[in-house]
Amino acid sequence: MDDAVDHTLLAVISRDGRATLAQLSDAVGLSTSAVQSRLKRLESRGVITGYQAVLDPEAVGAPLSAFIEITPLDPAQPDNAPELLEHLTAIEACHSIAGDAAYMLFVRVASPRALEQLVRDVRLAANVSTRTTVVLQTFYERRPIVSPRTP
C-alpha cells in the first residue's frame, strides 16, 4: 500500500463498500481489471478485511445504544472477559482500554429493560463490575478510516 492509487481506492471503498469496479476505475484512472487486481492484493495482504452491510438499529429492533465499562471484581482473576462475553450478541464491540476499567463494550438493545438484563448478564458471565452510559444521540459513527496519505 505504498502508492496514491491504493490510498485512493481505500478512501473510496471505506466511504462506499458497494462502489462498483467501474466507479473505482473512474476514481483512480485505471482499468477495471487493474482495480480488481489491486483490491485482491489489498485483501490478501489483510489491508481490506471484509465488506459489511450497515443496518439501521431502529429498523432491526435495537434502538438503544450504550457503553458499558467493565472492571474485574478480583484483579487476580484471568483476563478473559472478551471470551466470556462473546456469546452475548447485543455486544457490538469490545475494546481493551487504559484507565480505571479494563474493557469498554458498545451495545445495542431494544429497551431500557433489555439493557438492564444485558448488564446483569455481563456481570454474571465475566465476574465484573460495570458502569453504563446510555447514548442519547449519535452524530456520526463508522467514519471512513483515513490514512495519512489519503488525498
Side-chain angles (χ1 to χ4, degrees), residues 9 12 20-36:
L9 283 174
V12 173
T20 66
L21 288 174
Q23 290 168 324
L24 294 172
S25 296
D26 289 344
V28 297
L30 294 177
S31 70
T32 57
S33 61
V35 166
Q36 187 172 34

Side-chain angles (χ1 to χ4, degrees), residues 112-134:
R113 188 166 305 238
L115 178 59
E116 181 180 30
Q117 182 60 52
L118 177 62
V119 169
R120 200 172 304 129
D121 292 344
V122 166
R123 288 177 182 158
L124 289 172
N127 194 34
V128 294
S129 65
T130 61
R131 181 170 177 254
T132 303
T133 303
V134 173

Side-chain angles (χ1 to χ4, degrees), residues 3-60:
D3 66 13
V5 172
D6 284 351
H7 287 276
T8 301
L9 283 174
L10 293 173
V12 173
I13 64 168
S14 69
R15 284 190 297 274
D16 180 7
R18 293 185 66 177
T20 66
L21 288 174
Q23 290 168 324
L24 294 172
S25 296
D26 289 344
V28 297
L30 294 177
S31 70
T32 57
S33 61
V35 166
Q36 187 172 34
S37 174
R38 282 178 177 260
L39 289 174
K40 285 185 191 286
R41 184 173 43 87
L42 290 166
E43 290 167 0
S44 70
R45 290 176 52 204
V47 176
I48 299 172
T49 60
Y51 302 87
Q52 180 176 358
V54 178
L55 308 178
D56 178 347
E58 289 191 34
V60 297

Side-chain angles (χ1 to χ4, degrees), residues 90-148:
I91 300 173
E92 189 172 304
C94 175
H95 306 277
S96 175
I97 59 171
D100 293 333
Y103 295 95
M104 176 76 72
L105 310 176
F106 179 70
V107 304
R108 293 187 194 272
V109 293
S111 66
R113 188 166 305 238
L115 178 59
E116 181 180 30
Q117 182 60 52
L118 177 62
V119 169
R120 200 172 304 129
D121 292 344
V122 166
R123 288 177 182 158
L124 289 172
N127 194 34
V128 294
S129 65
T130 61
R131 181 170 177 254
T132 303
T133 303
V134 173
V135 175
L136 298 177
Q137 183 175 358
T138 299
F139 294 97
Y140 47 82
E141 65 182 347
R142 289 184 288 276
R143 295 174 81 180
I145 296 173
V146 179
S147 73

